[in-house]
Amino acid sequence: VVAFSKAVAQEHALRPGGVYADYLVRSQLAAVVNSTLFVHGGIDCDSLLWIPPDSLLLRADEAGDVDGRYSKDLSSWVDELNAFASRHVQEWLLDEDRGESGAAPGEALIAYQSRLATCGRSVVAAGYVRCRIPERPTRM
């Protein structure tokens, strides 16, 4: 725990070659082991086989739909989803912007975790309470 805390405190851990940068480079959003699909957070019928666009941006509302496409099969989807993540981790590490869109480096990958930005199609974070936040019970 102490070594981990020290690594977090060191800024170079996030730079290329740093412990967190290396972790992100090696990470996968999805993997199939034997006949089991593993994803980072959760999966539902809206997110299964959906590949987010490289132009995905964080946005404040769900107005409209997001471009993107569906992959032809599970194996292709896992490969394409991990390639999407890899491209945007590299973009972030190299601090490359995406030109006219004004997007921050790696923003598409950051946006992919947002159920708002993806119109609910993300395997990074599953939110099954969609209508409203449940009310807290009152104390007796």
Side-chain angles (χ1 to χ4, degrees), residues 32 37 49 71-82:
V32 175
L37 171 65
L49 302 183
S71 192
K72 62 181 179 175
D73 58 49
L74 184 65
S75 179
S76 298
W77 176 68
V78 168
D79 291 344
E80 292 175 77
L81 191 60
N82 288 326

Side-chain angles (χ1 to χ4, degrees), residues 121-140:
R121 294 174 290 203
S122 175
V123 300
V124 176
Y128 297 107
V129 178
R130 292 184 183 199
C131 298
R132 63 181 174 84
I133 297 173
E135 295 179 22
R136 295 176 93 175
T138 57
R139 289 190 161 182
M140 300 180 120

Side-chain angles (χ1 to χ4, degrees), residues 33-82:
V33 178
N34 296 321
S35 61
T36 305
L37 171 65
F38 293 89
V39 295
H40 184 277
I43 195 161
D44 58 22
C45 59
D46 293 332
S47 54
L48 183 62
L49 302 183
W50 188 70
I51 303 296
D54 286 321
S55 59
L56 189 64
L57 298 172
L58 285 168
R59 34 187 239 197
D61 59 32
E62 285 190 59
D65 199 1
V66 202
D67 289 335
R69 60 185 175 74
Y70 284 90
S71 192
K72 62 181 179 175
D73 58 49
L74 184 65
S75 179
S76 298
W77 176 68
V78 168
D79 291 344
E80 292 175 77
L81 191 60
N82 288 326

Side-chain angles (χ1 to χ4, degrees), residues 1 3 10 85 87 95 102 110 124 126 132 136-137:
V1 174
Q10 296 174 356
R87 280 192 305 278
D95 200 22
I110 296 167
V124 176
R132 63 181 174 84
R136 295 176 93 175

